[in-house]
Amino acid sequence: GAVVSQHPSRVICKSGTSVKIECRSLDFQATTMFWYRQFPKQSLMLMATSNEGSKATYEQGVEKDKFLINHASLTLSTLTVTSAHPEDSSFYICSALGLAGGEQFFGPGTRLTVL
Amino acid sequence: TQLLEQSPQFLSIQEGENLTVYCNSSSVFSSLQWYRQEPGEGPVLLVTVVTGGEVKKLKRLTFQFGDARKDSSLHITAAQPGDTGLYLCAGAWTDKLIFGTGTRLQVFP
């Protein structure tokens, strides 16, 4: 089956620092990847759609200068949380769409804690 | 803005009981998916329903897509502790998935 990995699985950082989260499709190519955020006891909220070789499309209310997304290859998208603050603490999940479209394959998530 | 409301929000039942989770929207979706998510993990796809009125069965789980493709239900027969988790419906909207508000299920032995 299609496997998506995320790295790191957990990260703790100080307020004001930047954190990069990687999302990789391990056994398939993905022109489109999605980034979601999930606060405790809540559902997944789509943050942005990442397309290989082009700028990401952000959902309403998501600051593009704070959440930098790069999708430089067909197997890797990165999310950088810049100048992180405690309110950015959340579970960040990516998903990848194969070249043929259809099902999104989800990564295992990254738990970010900002102190 | 597309919204998917799930009910109930929380459900705590004994092993062997039956339950139904509902997913409702005012929007029409081209397809609807159900996921289960364990704590600290990504969601895992259970089923995709595409046709209005469609019913799919997955062992003790029965999924139904409303005729108008705006709502769906998940029925679990004889729930087991292993069914415990967060159940999420998600509607397909263009190339995106819009997730429902979630139903947290706890099944006690």
Side-chain angles (χ1 to χ4, degrees), chain A residues 2 11 39-40 47 57 59 61 73 78 92 94 105:
Chain A
V11 57
F39 291 109
M47 297 175 67
T57 303
E59 294 300 300
S73 78
T78 61
Y92 291 86
C94 73
F105 299 97

Side-chain angles (χ1 to χ4, degrees), chain B:
Chain B
T1 304
Q2 297 75 35
L3 289 174
L4 278 165
E5 294 283 343
Q6 287 184 236
S7 61
Q9 194 175 357
F10 300 99
L11 197 51
S12 184
I13 61 173
Q14 291 292 128
E15 182 176 3
E17 292 184 31
N18 302 332
L19 66 115
T20 302
V21 177
Y22 299 93
C23 173
N24 293 293
S25 174
S26 58
S27 301
V28 176
F29 293 97
S30 56
S31 67
L32 196 136
Q33 301 177 347
W34 284 92
Y35 293 83
R36 190 173 86 192
Q37 185 183 24
E38 305 280 351
E41 298 180 13
V44 174
L45 180 65
L46 296 174
V47 79
T48 300
V49 285
V50 179
T51 308
E54 182 176 4
V55 176
K56 279 191 174 178
K57 298 195 84 168
L58 187 68
K59 297 183 180 178
R60 295 177 293 101
L61 277 61
T62 302
F63 305 85
Q64 185 161 8
F65 202 10
D67 291 339
R69 307 207 318 273
K70 293 183 179 181
D71 55 85
S72 181
S73 64
L74 156 62
H75 183 79
I76 301 179
T77 303
Q80 298 177 0
D83 296 327
T84 293
L86 177 66
Y87 288 81
L88 297 160
C89 63
W93 181 263
T94 60
D95 60 344
K96 304 176 191 177
L97 280 180
I98 308 298
F99 276 86
T101 48
T103 295
R104 195 163 296 276
L105 172 65
Q106 176 89 51
V107 183
F108 291 97

